[in-house]
Amino acid sequence: SNTPATTMLVNAASCGRILIFTATVVSASAFAPSTPLSLSSRNRVLARGSSHPARILPVSARRLRDATTSEKNQQHGSNRATNLHMVLSSNHVSGMEFQASQQVANRIESLRVQQVDFVKGFYNPELGCFNHDGSDTKRVSILSTCLGLLTIFEDVSLWTNDVVDDLSSFAADGSMISLSEMRRSLSDPETVHTSDNTRLGAFRIPFLVLGMEMLGVEAACPKLQHAIQTTIDVVASSVGLPRSHEEEGEGDADPLSMYLLYWNTKSLISSLQQSDLHGSSYIQNDTAILDVFAVLDRAANNAEDNMCRQLAYHYAGDSAEFDVIQLTYALLLHYETSGARGSLICGDQPSVPFNTKLATKALDVIFSQQLENGLWPQGSPIDRDGESMRGDIGNSFVFTFDLLASLLGTIGRTHPEFFRRFLPQLYTALTWAETNVVDQTLSAYCDIQTGTTGGSYIKGWRSNHLGDGGPVLWCTAQVFLSASRLGHLLRQLRNSDILAEFGGSPAAVPDHRPWDRLLDSTLELAGEPASLKETLNLKVLEPLSSSGKVDAMVKLSRKAAVPVAKYSLILYGPPGTAKTTICTSIAQKLGWSFLTVDTADFLASGLQNVASRMTYIFDRLRALEKTVILFDEIEEFCLDRGDPSLGMESRMLTTAMLTQLNDLRRQQKCVFLVATNRLRAFDAAVTRPGRFDMILQVGTPGLADRLVRLESRLKATGISGAAMPRFDSDKEMVTEVPAMELARELFERSFEDHIQFLNFAENEAFTDDVVRLIQQRKLADDSFNKLLARHMETATIQGPVREEYLSGFKLSRS
């Protein structure tokens, strides 16, 4: 479908030069999604857009794209990938200098904590929304309100004392931001007319959709549905598809700037993925869903073509045609419409995969255009056709922190390594933000005789494209979003470096299967038997797994108690009870990173340097987030200081370890677990209430789980329905007994005295032998008892270990 049909010389008279263009004939199959939506949806897409316009790209753009996708250039692409890997690897090995990165993190935090005071100054309680600036107090600002909401939802923890859903329980003095009032204000039909199909509508309406969906406005809201349909029409018109009210084939392209196309497309993707607080989808009928699929497919091709075109202009030295803003938002649109987010866009696979090679090249060019002061050049206006727009939107240009917030909030989230080499330039932008805060006093009264005034005081930022004046909320919000996302990027890179240093495993997609496969054990809590897995689920996994819009709304609305997670645990029990496996399974179910720290890590710099090494390790552990940390067998650093045989060094190490563990626990950014076989060897301060959130015994598998495991093994070998010969004394004859029924009887009879003391690995071996007896039709009382006796001879839990195990049941607490 990409075979050049003809090559033309086009006289580019407007700039006095000749360029070679390639007109590419694209068949209908090239336009159709690579993975079909369904037969009907494919027909719908083709019906609306089968007359795909020929792609006209500079030859250099076509070659650049082909070099990253064509099989005949596979070797060239491989070399480029190798070079990229070398760049990233060299940066990764050298790493960010830890103290320097901490200083930058502190700068970001100093900016972050001002967020509430700055943003809240723009809130207008009378309108129930945010104002554009200090002078604009009479109308609802859609853009400012949406970006104010984005700022709040980006960092909910900062806003829990200043935002509520319902003001009825609070003083109506304007000191609290009301989500319900904001929801009412945005839903008011008079706020913005969603039938506005002008360029101003193309600017405002996608933000209206995003804002209403963030607030959980009901999907059936007529204004929201009209806004979504308007956005579909705007994007369809821009990419050359007919609007919903037009006849098939009537669509004439009315292209938006890449900035406007990006935000309109982003709002459609949000509508496709999100649902309201009742679980109702925002796009409510199949026709609308297919319309969205069609425009997303065309927008994806549009984005890739524009990205290639802008790269070609740059490398050709064509400064008249090259526009870094267009390139940036073409890259962002390519990301959003590709598989980078793992989202359901067109069937199971996106129509255009995320081209990481092209993306890294685009980022190289984007950051090469950054100015010395940390900002980017003005670029083209947000909308090129300013004459047709009301207000001053046509004269507005993209603010640097709008660009940065979008890059860091999308590609930066999923591909943080792409930005490692640009950190110094990101720090320069941060410096501009720190040194360019503007303020304004909003006069509430003015005494002419005395010359005194009074009123509120607002602070924030103003785009360098707007000239002199006071702070503007949309600029202020973008700075805070950029700072927050830069902080997140730094933490991701720092996580990666620390995990690499200590041999940890990076975060992955949450996977519940390893946890589900774990055999459960019984422990004793407050004198009552309890399930270990249920306890960990209730106290650790469920609270930490909750995330997203609904949970943010719960925190802000105060309508329900947010479950409090436990972050620090001691898991104790005899060897072989799968303590390490439990820890890794917790990390996998949460989708968090995993890291093990053991005695060897503390001794890596020699015995004489253990104290400094401990400080070094814990400095880095405190910098981690969303990581499950396992301290494995570190009893030697937590020994009982009351033991007279201990030397001064051991006592000091115990004191230092207690302090470090306590500091790590207070941060509540990671879950850490201490696994030990000898709980009683710990200093009393380690196990006292308040030091760890939970102390749980990890015992051997319970009877029910052992039987489930046996039954699954029988099914796997195809003998689940097998029967065993058994002498029936009442009938004085041999009868057939179901194998599983006989095994259950034998397990139950021997569990309390013997089987319960087989640990996980020993139980696996014992179960395998029982399965073999069943396969040989030899399972009987004698054969089972002989087999069990043989396994008990080598069991780990015997003698003193068994006594400690049994007495340890009373030591658990949650």
Side-chain angles (χ1 to χ4, degrees):
S1 61
N2 290 325
T3 303
T6 181
T7 301
M8 305 175 291
L9 286 178
V10 179
N11 183 7
S14 61
C15 47
R17 67 194 186 285
I18 300 293
L19 288 178
I20 297 178
F21 287 80
T22 297
T24 303
V25 178
V26 183
S27 67
S29 62
F31 171 68
S34 57
T35 298
L37 312 176
S38 66
L39 183 58
S40 58
S41 60
R42 173 187 285 271
N43 292 338
R44 175 76 174 178
V45 169
L46 294 178
R48 299 200 61 178
S50 58
S51 56
H52 193 296
R55 302 184 192 179
I56 302 180
L57 296 177
V59 166
S60 53
R62 180 172 58 83
R63 288 175 179 167
L64 179 61
R65 182 183 62 189
D66 290 346
T68 62
T69 57
S70 174
E71 285 188 9
K72 66 181 180 182
N73 289 308
Q74 188 173 9
Q75 184 60 47
H76 174 65
S78 176
N79 292 337
R80 291 185 63 220
T82 301
N83 293 336
L84 172 64
H85 176 74
M86 291 172 63
V87 170
L88 296 182
S89 296
S90 62
N91 287 336
H92 182 76
V93 172
S94 62
M96 296 180 295
E97 204 285 312
F98 187 74
Q99 295 303 324
S101 70
Q102 284 289 81
Q103 291 173 5
V104 175
N106 292 338
R107 290 169 57 193
I108 293 172
E109 182 63 16
S110 297
L111 204 62
R112 172 181 171 268
V113 296
Q114 300 178 78
Q115 181 184 129
V116 174
D117 290 338
F118 279 34
V119 174
K120 196 174 175 183
F122 293 88
Y123 182 66
N124 187 331
E126 294 182 5
L127 294 178
C129 68
F130 287 101
N131 290 330
H132 173 71
D133 58 22
S135 62
D136 185 19
T137 60
K138 300 300 183 183
R139 70 178 180 88
V140 174
S141 173
I142 299 300
L143 178 61
S144 298
T145 299
C146 175
L147 289 172
L149 282 169
L150 274 173
T151 307
I152 292 171
F153 279 81
E154 183 83 15
D155 206 342
V156 173
S157 61
L158 284 176
W159 290 89
T160 52
N161 294 324
D162 297 271
V163 177
V164 295
D165 189 47
D166 186 357
L167 282 176
S168 60
S169 302
F170 298 87
D173 57 2
S175 62
M176 302 290 283
I177 293 175
S178 169
L179 297 180
S180 59
E181 287 298 303
M182 209 175 298
R183 198 177 294 119
R184 177 196 57 77
S185 181
L186 292 183
S187 301
D188 184 350
E190 297 303 317
T191 301
V192 169
H193 295 288
T194 55
S195 59
D196 182 4
N197 286 330
T198 67
R199 296 308 181 94
L200 189 57
F203 186 71
R204 286 181 176 173
I205 291 176
F207 287 98
L208 175 66
V209 172
L210 289 168
M212 295 178 80
E213 290 175 356
M214 275 189 287
L215 288 169
V217 171
E218 290 189 4
C221 172
K223 182 175 180 179
L224 177 56
Q225 287 301 312
H226 199 172
I228 291 172
Q229 186 58 57
T230 299
T231 306
I232 295 173
D233 287 344
V234 166
V235 177
S237 178
S238 180
V239 298
L241 292 174
R243 298 171 185 257
S244 58
H245 62 276
E246 296 173 333
E247 294 296 328
E248 302 293 345
E250 285 188 2
D252 294 321
D254 184 18
L256 302 170
S257 68
M258 293 308 300
Y259 178 89
L260 291 179
L261 184 57
Y262 166 73
W263 279 107
N264 278 268
T265 304
K266 186 177 180 70
S267 76
L268 288 182
I269 293 174
S270 172
S271 300
L272 194 64
Q273 295 173 328
Q274 303 297 328
S275 57
D276 66 15
L277 298 178
H278 304 292
S280 299
S281 300
Y282 282 119
I283 299 184
Q284 297 190 308
N285 60 74
D286 292 342
T287 300
I289 290 174
L290 295 176
D291 288 344
V292 173
F293 284 164
V295 299
L296 290 181
D297 186 78
R298 185 70 69 89
N301 288 303
N302 188 306
E304 191 178 33
D305 287 354
N306 274 278
M307 186 163 51
C308 292
R309 180 179 293 108
Q310 288 297 328
L311 287 172
Y313 288 144
H314 170 77
Y315 286 112
D318 188 350
S319 58
E321 293 293 338
F322 173 70
D323 188 327
V324 68
I325 304 301
Q326 295 296 309
L327 173 61
T328 301
Y329 284 92
L331 170 61
L332 288 166
L333 181 59
H334 171 60
Y335 176 88
E336 291 286 351
T337 55
S338 71
R341 300 179 63 184
S343 56
L344 180 64
I345 292 180
C346 289
D348 294 328
Q349 296 294 329
S351 57
V352 177
F354 183 54
N355 192 326
T356 56
K357 295 176 184 178
L358 205 57
T360 54
K361 185 58 65 176
L363 287 172
D364 284 339
V365 173
I366 291 167
F367 278 91
S368 74
Q369 301 300 302
Q370 190 178 11
L371 305 176
E372 289 185 3
N373 63 357
L375 303 181
W376 265 265
Q378 181 171 275
S380 58
I382 286 176
D383 190 85
R384 299 166 181 171
D385 188 14
E387 297 295 328
S388 68
M389 302 185 66
R390 301 189 299 272
D392 62 354
I393 301 301
N395 298 318
S396 296
F397 298 88
V398 175
F399 184 34
T400 281
F401 292 91
D402 191 342
L403 175 151
L404 278 181
S406 296
L407 282 173
L408 297 177
T410 53
I411 303 172
R413 295 278 186 180
T414 55
H415 297 78
E417 286 291 341
F418 286 8
F419 291 85
R420 187 186 287 275
R421 60 190 180 278
F422 306 124
L423 286 177
Q425 291 165 262
L426 292 170
Y427 298 162
T428 304
L430 176 64
T431 300
W432 187 94
E434 292 170 323
T435 55
N436 284 273
V437 176
V438 294
D439 53 54
Q440 181 181 7
T441 299
L442 306 180
S443 298
Y445 66 88
C446 179
D447 190 324
I448 299 177
Q449 293 181 345
T450 63
T452 60
T453 61
S456 59
Y457 181 69
I458 58 174
K459 298 177 71 175
W461 288 269
R462 184 178 182 86
S463 170
N464 56 306
H465 304 316
L466 296 177
D468 295 335
V472 177
L473 179 57
W474 67 264
C475 301
T476 302
Q478 294 288 11
V479 171
F480 281 124
L481 286 171
S482 296
S484 176
R485 291 168 183 178
L486 176 57
H488 185 267
L489 174 73
L490 282 178
R491 292 192 296 273
Q492 285 181 291
L493 293 174
R494 199 161 49 193
N495 261 34
S496 176
D497 292 339
I498 295 169
L499 291 170
E501 180 178 0
F502 292 97
S505 304
V509 176
D511 184 0
H512 63 87
R513 292 172 298 178
W515 175 262
D516 293 342
R517 287 195 296 266
L518 273 178
L519 299 184
D520 199 5
S521 63
T522 301
L523 67 159
E524 186 176 308
L525 291 174
E528 297 293 331
S531 159
L532 175 65
K533 289 181 68 175
E534 287 181 8
T535 302
L536 291 171
N537 253 324
L538 182 65
K539 301 294 182 70
V540 179
L541 291 167
E542 290 180 5
L544 292 176
S545 295
S546 60
S547 61
K549 178 182 67 176
V550 173
D551 298 294
M553 292 291 292
V554 168
K555 291 178 182 179
L556 294 173
S557 67
R558 298 168 173 81
K559 287 184 177 179
V562 179
V564 177
K566 305 293 187 181
Y567 287 89
S568 57
L569 303 86
I570 294 178
L571 300 181
Y572 69 94
T577 49
K579 294 183 287 292
T580 300
T581 305
I582 289 172
C583 297
T584 58
S585 299
I586 289 174
Q588 289 169 308
K589 187 169 183 180
L590 291 173
W592 285 18
S593 307
F594 179 75
L595 177 64
T596 299
V597 179
D598 57 21
T599 303
D601 292 305
F602 292 111
L603 296 175
S605 299
L607 188 59
Q608 69 278 12
N609 296 314
V610 171
S612 60
R613 177 67 178 172
M614 186 181 295
T615 300
Y616 176 91
I617 290 173
F618 275 94
D619 281 348
R620 280 145 185 79
L621 295 184
R622 284 192 296 273
L624 290 170
E625 64 177 23
K626 292 191 174 182
T627 300
V628 175
I629 304 168
L630 169 62
F631 292 98
D632 194 20
E633 304 295 341
I634 60 166
E635 295 91 338
E636 296 303 322
F637 303 104
C638 301
L639 293 174
D640 185 1
R641 289 170 292 182
D643 186 346
S645 64
L646 282 186
M648 180 61 69
E649 295 83 357
S650 292
R651 291 189 177 91
M652 292 178 65
L653 285 177
T654 296
T655 301
M657 179 64 77
L658 288 172
T659 301
Q660 297 284 10
L661 290 172
N662 198 46
D663 290 345
L664 184 61
R665 175 177 178 262
R666 278 203 301 264
Q667 286 194 308
Q668 295 192 345
K669 296 192 303 182
C670 298
V671 172
F672 69 93
L673 308 96
V674 174
T676 179
N677 301 332
R678 300 182 292 141
L679 180 64
R680 297 180 191 277
F682 280 169
D683 188 89
V686 176
T687 58
R688 70 169 175 79
R691 182 70 68 180
F692 281 82
D693 295 329
M694 294 195 295
I695 299 177
L696 303 176
Q697 184 182 41
V698 181
T700 60
L703 175 61
D705 276 28
R706 292 179 196 254
L707 291 172
V708 168
R709 180 60 59 91
L710 172 61
E711 192 166 13
S712 67
R713 293 285 178 82
L714 293 177
K715 289 180 180 179
T717 54
I719 56 172
S720 57
M724 295 293 107
R726 190 178 191 184
F727 180 75
D728 187 332
S729 58
D730 292 335
K731 297 180 180 179
E732 295 185 352
M733 60 181 294
V734 175
T735 59
E736 293 286 314
V737 180
M740 192 61 213
E741 179 182 323
L742 176 58
R744 180 177 288 105
E745 178 185 330
L746 295 171
F747 267 72
E748 289 173 350
R749 185 189 307 166
S750 304
F751 183 76
E752 289 295 328
D753 294 332
H754 302 292
I755 293 179
Q756 72 158 317
F757 299 111
L758 294 175
N759 64 28
F760 282 83
E762 293 162 353
N763 183 71
E764 293 295 286
F766 177 66
T767 301
D768 286 341
D769 285 345
V770 171
V771 170
R772 277 191 284 272
L773 285 178
I774 294 173
Q775 287 176 318
Q776 299 166 5
R777 288 179 54 84
K778 293 182 179 179
L779 181 63
D781 293 35
D782 290 345
S783 60
F784 181 85
N785 291 335
K786 289 178 181 178
L787 177 64
L788 179 57
R790 189 170 72 249
H791 279 272
M792 293 305 300
E793 288 177 359
T794 57
T796 302
I797 306 175
Q798 300 188 69
V801 176
R802 180 180 296 194
E803 293 175 8
E804 184 172 359
Y805 171 58
L806 293 174
S807 64
F809 276 91
K810 299 183 182 298
L811 302 179
S812 295
R813 60 173 175 78
S814 63

